[in-house]
Structures are given as structure tokens and as C-alpha cells.
Amino acid sequence: MRSVNNARLQARKLLDDCGLDEITDLDMDLFVAGLVVAGHDAILIEEELSNCDGKIVFGNNKAVIKVNSKIQFQERKRFVAAHEIGHLLMHRNMQLPDDTFTNFNIIEGTENTLKNGRQELEANEFASELLMPENLFLKEAKGKKFSPLLIKQLSERFKTSLTATIFRYLQFEQLHPLCLVFIENGKVKYWKKSNDLKVWLGDYTKLAPPSDSVAAEYIQKDYEFVYKLEEKAQNINKSTWFNLSEYDEDTDFYEYCIPTRRYKTILSIIWEN
């Protein structure tokens, strides 16, 4: 998608204009204050927002980026701020809605699930590249066995949420093939997989996840964390999520879930060793 590639290029250009390789160790309010160097006058504030996680207000001379102070985790606040910076650079003359949780959980190919989905996808891609630059992310992830622990280590390295980190991981064909399934209010909303993962997902869109899936366990437990880190990769059958042809063997796969109880969502990650 051309617009997605442009968003990534915009993030790299911004880093170059600011003379930075990454912003991992910078507070986001300081980074936003310094954007005047790149020709963008803005400030970032945290305040309690109703029914949204972030928003941008364009003025005649200055933009105000607002991040909901009620967000619990700093990693999520960083991504919200980076997302709004993407709007600042790419969508100044467009009518934009306030950004909600759902806006930050779309991936290429699923942006049609949201109104203004293209702009939201672009802002997400911008934020991913800004917080997790491609060259640095691949340096940290390439050649390492995929596991929940690896995603935790990457999220700590770049100060990003587990969800943002796993979405970023999926973008690179050089890394381990994955299938991601996003579940909201007990129903599969959308899914996406690596091209190298030669499987066919069952027809679960708008339906509950399979009864023998790990995702179903989390729904039954009201989105509480069922497994500890070393147990998060649970063994499942290939047929749990995927259709088998007459020539397929029902081999071992793994499923790892990231639940968000507040929003009743689950991100299910499925892979084969």
C-alpha cells in the first residue's frame, strides 16, 4: 500500500531531520516540543479525556496533542502520542475523529473496518516506524527463536506495548511466520498472517473463536491472565484454527494470547515451530 510506505518514510525523515536514530530514551513531551526543529510547532499534554485515548487539535500556529492521562501504561501513552504526531505530519487539513482503542489495533488490509481507516492505518504505521525503526527492530529480532519472551524483550527494548510490538513483528517477512487474530467482545473481528505461513484460517470472522483455542480459555476466564510467561505459548492442533485439506497432517502449533480486559479484546498469536 503506497500510503503505508509513505507513512514509514515520513517517520524516517522526521528522525533524520531531528538527527536521531531512535527516540526510545526520550520523553514524548520533550520530543514533541523539539519538533519545531523539523518545522512542526506542537505541544503534548496529558489530561483526562472522555471516550478516547488521544486527539490532536490544530490551531493557526500551533497544534496540541492530547493523551488520555487515564491510560495505565506508559508504553501505550507513547504509542498514542506517536500516532498523533503521524496525524500532525500527514493529515493536517483533514477532518479526524478522536482516537479510540480500536484505532490503534488495525493492520494493513483491515483498515476498512473503521471510518477514516486509511488515515488511522497511516498514523499507526508512522508510529510503529518512529518508535521501532525497521533497521533497529530487525537487528534485535532477526535470527532469534519466536516466543512470548522474545516479544516481551522487544517491547522492553523499544518501550512499546506487547500488542504494538507483535503487530510490528508481523510486518517483516524475514522473521518467523505468524497468524494474528483480533477478537473483540467474544467475536473474531479480523485476522492477518505472514505470507510464508501456508495455512487457511477457518471461517470465524464475526463468530466466537474455536472452543479448543487458547483465546476461548481467556474469554471463559473473563480476560484474566490464565498463563504465566513461561506457559503463555500453549500447544494446540493445526486444526484448532486452520482448515485441513485431505493431504494435510494435523501437526502441532502454538497459541499465545494478549488479553485486554478493559476493552474485552484478545490478540491471539498462532505459529508453528
Side-chain angles (χ1 to χ4, degrees):
M1 178 182 283
R2 184 176 178 181
S3 61
V4 166
N5 290 332
N6 179 61
R8 295 167 186 164
L9 290 173
Q10 290 273 9
R12 292 171 199 159
K13 182 179 184 302
L14 180 60
L15 288 173
D16 289 342
D17 290 346
C18 294
L20 299 168
D21 294 321
E22 60 179 304
I23 62 170
T24 309
D25 294 326
L26 277 178
D27 290 338
M28 292 303 291
D29 58 341
L30 294 177
F31 179 68
V32 171
L35 289 181
V36 66
V37 175
H40 305 284
D41 198 0
I43 60 171
L44 184 151
I45 62 173
E46 285 192 24
E47 66 178 39
E48 190 169 315
L49 301 175
S50 299
N51 303 316
C52 72
D53 286 347
K55 63 193 304 182
I56 184 166
V57 180
F58 292 107
N60 292 329
N61 300 311
K62 186 186 291 286
V64 179
I65 291 172
K66 297 183 178 184
V67 175
N68 194 342
S69 59
K70 294 189 294 184
I71 296 174
Q72 183 177 0
F73 300 106
Q74 286 299 319
E75 294 86 354
R76 183 161 186 81
K77 287 182 178 179
R78 286 177 63 83
F79 195 91
V80 172
H83 178 102
E84 301 305 333
I85 295 170
H87 284 320
L88 172 68
L89 269 65
M90 297 183 291
H91 307 134
R92 179 176 285 273
N93 297 316
M94 297 182 184
Q95 187 71 34
L96 299 170
D98 294 344
D99 285 310
T100 62
F101 177 83
T102 306
N103 295 43
F104 305 112
N105 291 282
I106 57 172
I107 49 181
E108 188 175 350
T110 65
E111 63 273 15
N112 59 353
T113 62
L114 282 180
K115 186 180 179 181
N116 298 87
R118 183 177 65 83
Q119 290 91 340
E120 297 310 321
L121 176 63
E122 289 172 350
N124 282 348
E125 293 295 333
F126 176 95
S128 292
E129 184 66 41
L130 185 67
L131 298 177
M132 297 171 278
E134 178 177 343
N135 60 330
L136 297 179
F137 193 89
L138 285 174
K139 181 180 177 181
E140 297 289 341
K142 201 171 180 180
K144 296 179 181 177
K145 183 179 178 180
F146 179 80
S147 69
L149 178 59
L150 175 61
I151 296 304
K152 182 175 184 292
Q153 290 169 340
L154 290 170
S155 71
E156 291 173 348
R157 162 66 177 85
F158 293 102
K159 295 183 180 177
T160 49
S161 69
L162 294 173
T163 299
T165 305
I166 199 70
F167 280 164
R168 186 63 165 150
Y169 189 100
L170 180 67
Q171 292 178 335
F172 300 110
E173 293 296 331
Q174 307 96 312
L175 302 179
H176 196 95
L178 304 175
C179 179
L180 304 188
V181 181
F182 186 73
I183 301 157
E184 187 174 44
N185 294 319
K187 307 293 183 185
V188 173
K189 190 166 186 180
Y190 56 76
W191 61 274
K192 188 174 179 66
K193 72 176 185 69
S194 306
N195 291 330
D196 287 344
L197 188 61
K198 306 302 181 183
V199 293
W200 292 267
L201 193 81
D203 187 15
Y204 292 108
T205 304
K206 298 183 180 179
L207 300 177
S211 60
D212 57 339
S213 66
V214 179
E217 287 189 68
Y218 278 91
I219 293 171
Q220 291 165 7
K221 298 291 185 180
D222 195 27
Y223 303 88
E224 293 286 354
F225 284 96
V226 178
Y227 298 107
K228 297 178 181 178
L229 182 63
E230 61 272 17
E231 301 171 334
K232 284 183 181 290
Q234 287 290 302
N235 186 260
I236 61 170
N237 293 323
K238 182 178 182 180
S239 61
T240 297
W241 279 101
F242 305 115
N243 292 328
L244 301 180
S245 73
E246 59 180 311
Y247 305 107
D248 277 340
E249 188 177 346
D250 199 5
T251 52
D252 288 339
F253 270 64
Y254 292 88
E255 184 177 0
Y256 156 45
C257 291
I258 303 172
T260 306
R261 188 177 187 184
R262 177 183 174 189
Y263 299 103
K264 302 296 184 187
T265 64
I266 295 171
L267 182 64
S268 186
I269 302 101
I270 306 153
W271 74 98
E272 183 178 28
N273 271 354

